[in-house]
Amino acid sequence: MSKIISVANQKGGVGKTTTAVNLSASLAVLEKRVLLVDCDPQANATSGLGVDPDTLEKSVYDCILGECQASDVIIETDTPNLDILPTRIDLVGAEVELINEKGREQFLSKVLQPVKENYDYIIIDCSPSLGLITINALTASDSVIIPIQSEYFALEGLGKLLNTIRIVQTRLNPSLTIEGLLITMYDNRLRLARQVVEDVRSHFKKMVFDTLIYRNTKLAEAPSYGKSIIMHDASSSGAVNYLNLAQEILNRNAEKLG
């Protein structure tokens, strides 16, 4: 059974793409078949797995517009079991092109449907906005992971995102759930960071993942090599953190199925 998970937060700089790329790679290393879908026009997930967006003839944008199938665009990555449905900057135009289309929130669902059963997990990297492409991602998904930076304004804007998720649940995708809130860029030397974790956990309880993603130099530099942290430095704390997160997600989903 395949599961589609969006990684979403309209705040930039919270570790969203880092999470999408490295969670995908970690699930792949744990022998799950994974597809990473880049739905952020910045194309950082695409370049972060070693694919140059400027060399792409087709991307997820062309799939959404109905000009090709996802299977025509999907690329195998260097990581065994991990494929990517890449994007380019032109995805930014899809918002405008879809605005007057009937069922405009369901286009990505239709793109993924024919390839869904080829994968155990499909991870969608959303753009840092609550625009139409993000709504498409949430409508196509079974669940959503929300990365939260362990800094002072951590919860700023979270209410707006949760409200958007509620609207999607009510009108478009009743089965959408929150997979979990993920604390990123954690530095346990900082009292503020520890306080943020405490506040988030006391407020959201079991919705928060046990796994924390620590600040890590190797994690920050991996995208410049076009590699996930697993392929860049498997022994780094960043790699260990994301492998732990992948295992936590597998355990949670096994409990639900069990």
Side-chain angles (χ1 to χ4, degrees), residues 145-170:
I145 290 172
I146 305 170
I148 297 173
Q149 195 173 351
S150 55
E151 292 191 351
Y152 186 68
F153 291 113
L155 300 179
E156 187 186 50
L158 188 58
K160 196 184 247 185
L161 176 58
L162 293 173
N163 192 46
T164 300
I165 290 169
R166 274 192 292 274
I167 291 167
V168 171
Q169 287 167 328
T170 306

mmCIF file of all heavy atoms in Angstrom, residues 145-170:
data_model
loop_
_atom_site.group_PDB
_atom_site.id
_atom_site.type_symbol
_atom_site.label_atom_id
_atom_site.label_comp_id
_atom_site.label_asym_id
_atom_site.label_seq_id
_atom_site.Cartn_x
_atom_site.Cartn_y
_atom_site.Cartn_z
ATOM 1 N N ILE A 145 3.604 16.394 6.918
ATOM 2 C CA ILE A 145 4.627 16.661 7.944
ATOM 3 C C ILE A 145 4.877 18.160 7.958
ATOM 4 O O ILE A 145 5.062 18.775 6.904
ATOM 5 C CB ILE A 145 5.944 15.914 7.628
ATOM 6 C CG1 ILE A 145 5.762 14.404 7.811
ATOM 7 C CG2 ILE A 145 7.092 16.409 8.520
ATOM 8 C CD1 ILE A 145 6.948 13.578 7.338
ATOM 9 N N ILE A 146 4.868 18.747 9.157
ATOM 10 C CA ILE A 146 5.096 20.187 9.296
ATOM 11 C C ILE A 146 6.419 20.416 10.033
ATOM 12 O O ILE A 146 6.515 20.170 11.236
ATOM 13 C CB ILE A 146 3.944 20.855 10.075
ATOM 14 C CG1 ILE A 146 2.600 20.548 9.403
ATOM 15 C CG2 ILE A 146 4.173 22.362 10.201
ATOM 16 C CD1 ILE A 146 1.387 20.961 10.233
ATOM 17 N N PRO A 147 7.473 20.856 9.311
ATOM 18 C CA PRO A 147 8.737 21.167 9.988
ATOM 19 C C PRO A 147 8.615 22.506 10.736
ATOM 20 O O PRO A 147 8.050 23.463 10.198
ATOM 21 C CB PRO A 147 9.754 21.286 8.844
ATOM 22 C CG PRO A 147 9.031 20.864 7.600
ATOM 23 C CD PRO A 147 7.576 21.057 7.861
ATOM 24 N N ILE A 148 9.141 22.522 11.956
ATOM 25 C CA ILE A 148 9.109 23.738 12.776
ATOM 26 C C ILE A 148 10.519 24.005 13.287
ATOM 27 O O ILE A 148 11.121 23.152 13.945
ATOM 28 C CB ILE A 148 8.158 23.578 13.989
ATOM 29 C CG1 ILE A 148 6.728 23.353 13.507
ATOM 30 C CG2 ILE A 148 8.223 24.787 14.912
ATOM 31 C CD1 ILE A 148 5.775 23.022 14.622
ATOM 32 N N GLN A 149 11.043 25.173 12.979
ATOM 33 C CA GLN A 149 12.388 25.545 13.425
ATOM 34 C C GLN A 149 12.356 25.867 14.912
ATOM 35 O O GLN A 149 11.438 26.524 15.394
ATOM 36 C CB GLN A 149 12.844 26.769 12.632
ATOM 37 C CG GLN A 149 14.309 27.061 12.722
ATOM 38 C CD GLN A 149 14.709 28.188 11.775
ATOM 39 O OE1 GLN A 149 13.915 28.623 10.947
ATOM 40 N NE2 GLN A 149 15.936 28.651 11.895
ATOM 41 N N SER A 150 13.364 25.402 15.644
ATOM 42 C CA SER A 150 13.368 25.614 17.099
ATOM 43 C C SER A 150 13.920 27.002 17.428
ATOM 44 O O SER A 150 14.980 27.156 18.030
ATOM 45 C CB SER A 150 14.187 24.529 17.803
ATOM 46 O OG SER A 150 15.492 24.463 17.263
ATOM 47 N N GLU A 151 13.186 28.039 16.992
ATOM 48 C CA GLU A 151 13.571 29.416 17.256
ATOM 49 C C GLU A 151 12.375 30.210 17.759
ATOM 50 O O GLU A 151 11.255 29.701 17.804
ATOM 51 C CB GLU A 151 14.170 30.043 15.990
ATOM 52 C CG GLU A 151 15.517 29.401 15.630
ATOM 53 C CD GLU A 151 16.280 30.147 14.559
ATOM 54 O OE1 GLU A 151 15.716 31.067 13.948
ATOM 55 O OE2 GLU A 151 17.450 29.791 14.330
ATOM 56 N N TYR A 152 12.595 31.469 18.054
ATOM 57 C CA TYR A 152 11.610 32.273 18.777
ATOM 58 C C TYR A 152 10.247 32.337 18.091
ATOM 59 O O TYR A 152 9.217 32.188 18.727
ATOM 60 C CB TYR A 152 12.158 33.690 19.002
ATOM 61 C CG TYR A 152 11.256 34.532 19.863
ATOM 62 C CD1 TYR A 152 11.079 34.239 21.205
ATOM 63 C CD2 TYR A 152 10.566 35.613 19.316
ATOM 64 C CE1 TYR A 152 10.238 34.997 21.998
ATOM 65 C CE2 TYR A 152 9.730 36.380 20.092
ATOM 66 C CZ TYR A 152 9.566 36.071 21.431
ATOM 67 O OH TYR A 152 8.726 36.814 22.214
ATOM 68 N N PHE A 153 10.234 32.532 16.773
ATOM 69 C CA PHE A 153 8.958 32.658 16.062
ATOM 70 C C PHE A 153 8.498 31.315 15.485
ATOM 71 O O PHE A 153 7.817 31.274 14.471
ATOM 72 C CB PHE A 153 9.068 33.702 14.937
ATOM 73 C CG PHE A 153 9.222 35.104 15.450
ATOM 74 C CD1 PHE A 153 10.393 35.805 15.246
ATOM 75 C CD2 PHE A 153 8.189 35.716 16.151
ATOM 76 C CE1 PHE A 153 10.542 37.105 15.730
ATOM 77 C CE2 PHE A 153 8.317 37.010 16.629
ATOM 78 C CZ PHE A 153 9.488 37.709 16.423
ATOM 79 N N ALA A 154 8.863 30.234 16.143
ATOM 80 C CA ALA A 154 8.592 28.890 15.623
ATOM 81 C C ALA A 154 7.130 28.680 15.251
ATOM 82 O O ALA A 154 6.819 28.114 14.202
ATOM 83 C CB ALA A 154 9.017 27.847 16.651
ATOM 84 N N LEU A 155 6.233 29.132 16.112
ATOM 85 C CA LEU A 155 4.815 28.836 15.904
ATOM 86 C C LEU A 155 4.093 29.909 15.100
ATOM 87 O O LEU A 155 2.896 29.785 14.830
ATOM 88 C CB LEU A 155 4.117 28.641 17.259
ATOM 89 C CG LEU A 155 4.690 27.499 18.114
ATOM 90 C CD1 LEU A 155 3.964 27.392 19.434
ATOM 91 C CD2 LEU A 155 4.629 26.184 17.369
ATOM 92 N N GLU A 156 4.840 30.950 14.718
ATOM 93 C CA GLU A 156 4.238 32.017 13.928
ATOM 94 C C GLU A 156 3.792 31.464 12.567
ATOM 95 O O GLU A 156 4.553 30.812 11.871
ATOM 96 C CB GLU A 156 5.251 33.139 13.712
ATOM 97 C CG GLU A 156 4.669 34.361 13.037
ATOM 98 C CD GLU A 156 5.764 35.393 12.708
ATOM 99 O OE1 GLU A 156 6.779 35.001 12.109
ATOM 100 O OE2 GLU A 156 5.572 36.550 13.053
ATOM 101 N N GLY A 157 2.568 31.697 12.213
ATOM 102 C CA GLY A 157 2.057 31.233 10.929
ATOM 103 C C GLY A 157 1.549 29.803 10.951
ATOM 104 O O GLY A 157 0.924 29.350 9.989
ATOM 105 N N LEU A 158 1.810 29.084 12.059
ATOM 106 C CA LEU A 158 1.369 27.687 12.118
ATOM 107 C C LEU A 158 -0.159 27.602 12.128
ATOM 108 O O LEU A 158 -0.740 26.707 11.508
ATOM 109 C CB LEU A 158 1.952 27.000 13.366
ATOM 110 C CG LEU A 158 1.732 25.498 13.462
ATOM 111 C CD1 LEU A 158 2.309 24.768 12.260
ATOM 112 C CD2 LEU A 158 2.324 24.941 14.750
ATOM 113 N N GLY A 159 -0.796 28.561 12.791
ATOM 114 C CA GLY A 159 -2.260 28.588 12.841
ATOM 115 C C GLY A 159 -2.865 28.684 11.451
ATOM 116 O O GLY A 159 -3.849 28.017 11.121
ATOM 117 N N LYS A 160 -2.236 29.511 10.604
ATOM 118 C CA LYS A 160 -2.718 29.694 9.227
ATOM 119 C C LYS A 160 -2.594 28.387 8.441
ATOM 120 O O LYS A 160 -3.502 28.003 7.696
ATOM 121 C CB LYS A 160 -1.884 30.796 8.559
ATOM 122 C CG LYS A 160 -2.503 31.355 7.288
ATOM 123 C CD LYS A 160 -1.552 32.366 6.662
ATOM 124 C CE LYS A 160 -2.122 33.766 6.723
ATOM 125 N NZ LYS A 160 -1.268 34.738 6.023
ATOM 126 N N LEU A 161 -1.464 27.692 8.622
ATOM 127 C CA LEU A 161 -1.261 26.412 7.934
ATOM 128 C C LEU A 161 -2.270 25.370 8.418
ATOM 129 O O LEU A 161 -2.881 24.659 7.610
ATOM 130 C CB LEU A 161 0.172 25.913 8.162
ATOM 131 C CG LEU A 161 0.513 24.532 7.596
ATOM 132 C CD1 LEU A 161 0.283 24.470 6.093
ATOM 133 C CD2 LEU A 161 1.949 24.151 7.922
ATOM 134 N N LEU A 162 -2.462 25.292 9.734
ATOM 135 C CA LEU A 162 -3.416 24.323 10.281
ATOM 136 C C LEU A 162 -4.839 24.622 9.805
ATOM 137 O O LEU A 162 -5.621 23.707 9.539
ATOM 138 C CB LEU A 162 -3.354 24.316 11.816
ATOM 139 C CG LEU A 162 -2.036 23.789 12.411
ATOM 140 C CD1 LEU A 162 -2.020 23.986 13.922
ATOM 141 C CD2 LEU A 162 -1.820 22.319 12.071
ATOM 142 N N ASN A 163 -5.149 25.915 9.661
ATOM 143 C CA ASN A 163 -6.459 26.310 9.155
ATOM 144 C C ASN A 163 -6.624 25.877 7.691
ATOM 145 O O ASN A 163 -7.683 25.378 7.290
ATOM 146 C CB ASN A 163 -6.645 27.825 9.287
ATOM 147 C CG ASN A 163 -8.074 28.232 9.057
ATOM 148 O OD1 ASN A 163 -8.997 27.623 9.587
ATOM 149 N ND2 ASN A 163 -8.284 29.257 8.239
ATOM 150 N N THR A 164 -5.573 26.061 6.895
ATOM 151 C CA THR A 164 -5.600 25.616 5.491
ATOM 152 C C THR A 164 -5.804 24.104 5.421
ATOM 153 O O THR A 164 -6.583 23.605 4.599
ATOM 154 C CB THR A 164 -4.289 26.003 4.774
ATOM 155 O OG1 THR A 164 -4.149 27.421 4.818
ATOM 156 C CG2 THR A 164 -4.273 25.533 3.328
ATOM 157 N N ILE A 165 -5.100 23.377 6.286
ATOM 158 C CA ILE A 165 -5.253 21.912 6.321
ATOM 159 C C ILE A 165 -6.702 21.542 6.661
ATOM 160 O O ILE A 165 -7.294 20.654 6.032
ATOM 161 C CB ILE A 165 -4.259 21.282 7.329
ATOM 162 C CG1 ILE A 165 -2.824 21.401 6.779
ATOM 163 C CG2 ILE A 165 -4.610 19.820 7.608
ATOM 164 C CD1 ILE A 165 -1.734 21.073 7.775
ATOM 165 N N ARG A 166 -7.304 22.265 7.620
ATOM 166 C CA ARG A 166 -8.706 22.005 7.986
ATOM 167 C C ARG A 166 -9.645 22.245 6.804
ATOM 168 O O ARG A 166 -10.582 21.487 6.567
ATOM 169 C CB ARG A 166 -9.126 22.878 9.184
ATOM 170 C CG ARG A 166 -8.794 22.251 10.530
ATOM 171 C CD ARG A 166 -9.479 22.987 11.665
ATOM 172 N NE ARG A 166 -8.956 24.334 11.858
ATOM 173 C CZ ARG A 166 -7.887 24.624 12.601
ATOM 174 N NH1 ARG A 166 -7.237 23.639 13.217
ATOM 175 N NH2 ARG A 166 -7.471 25.858 12.730
ATOM 176 N N ILE A 167 -9.386 23.331 6.054
ATOM 177 C CA ILE A 167 -10.228 23.640 4.876
ATOM 178 C C ILE A 167 -10.098 22.524 3.831
ATOM 179 O O ILE A 167 -11.093 22.074 3.261
ATOM 180 C CB ILE A 167 -9.835 25.009 4.272
ATOM 181 C CG1 ILE A 167 -10.225 26.132 5.234
ATOM 182 C CG2 ILE A 167 -10.492 25.225 2.911
ATOM 183 C CD1 ILE A 167 -9.630 27.485 4.904
ATOM 184 N N VAL A 168 -8.856 22.061 3.600
ATOM 185 C CA VAL A 168 -8.632 20.963 2.647
ATOM 186 C C VAL A 168 -9.363 19.702 3.114
ATOM 187 O O VAL A 168 -10.004 19.003 2.323
ATOM 188 C CB VAL A 168 -7.119 20.697 2.448
ATOM 189 C CG1 VAL A 168 -6.883 19.417 1.647
ATOM 190 C CG2 VAL A 168 -6.454 21.876 1.744
ATOM 191 N N GLN A 169 -9.275 19.424 4.425
ATOM 192 C CA GLN A 169 -9.963 18.245 4.976
ATOM 193 C C GLN A 169 -11.480 18.351 4.767
ATOM 194 O O GLN A 169 -12.145 17.370 4.426
ATOM 195 C CB GLN A 169 -9.665 18.115 6.477
ATOM 196 C CG GLN A 169 -8.254 17.640 6.785
ATOM 197 C CD GLN A 169 -7.886 17.810 8.251
ATOM 198 O OE1 GLN A 169 -8.347 18.736 8.926
ATOM 199 N NE2 GLN A 169 -7.049 16.918 8.762
ATOM 200 N N THR A 170 -12.022 19.538 4.973
ATOM 201 C CA THR A 170 -13.470 19.739 4.885
ATOM 202 C C THR A 170 -13.973 19.682 3.448
ATOM 203 O O THR A 170 -15.002 19.068 3.154
ATOM 204 C CB THR A 170 -13.852 21.112 5.495
ATOM 205 O OG1 THR A 170 -13.321 21.177 6.814
ATOM 206 C CG2 THR A 170 -15.357 21.297 5.555
#
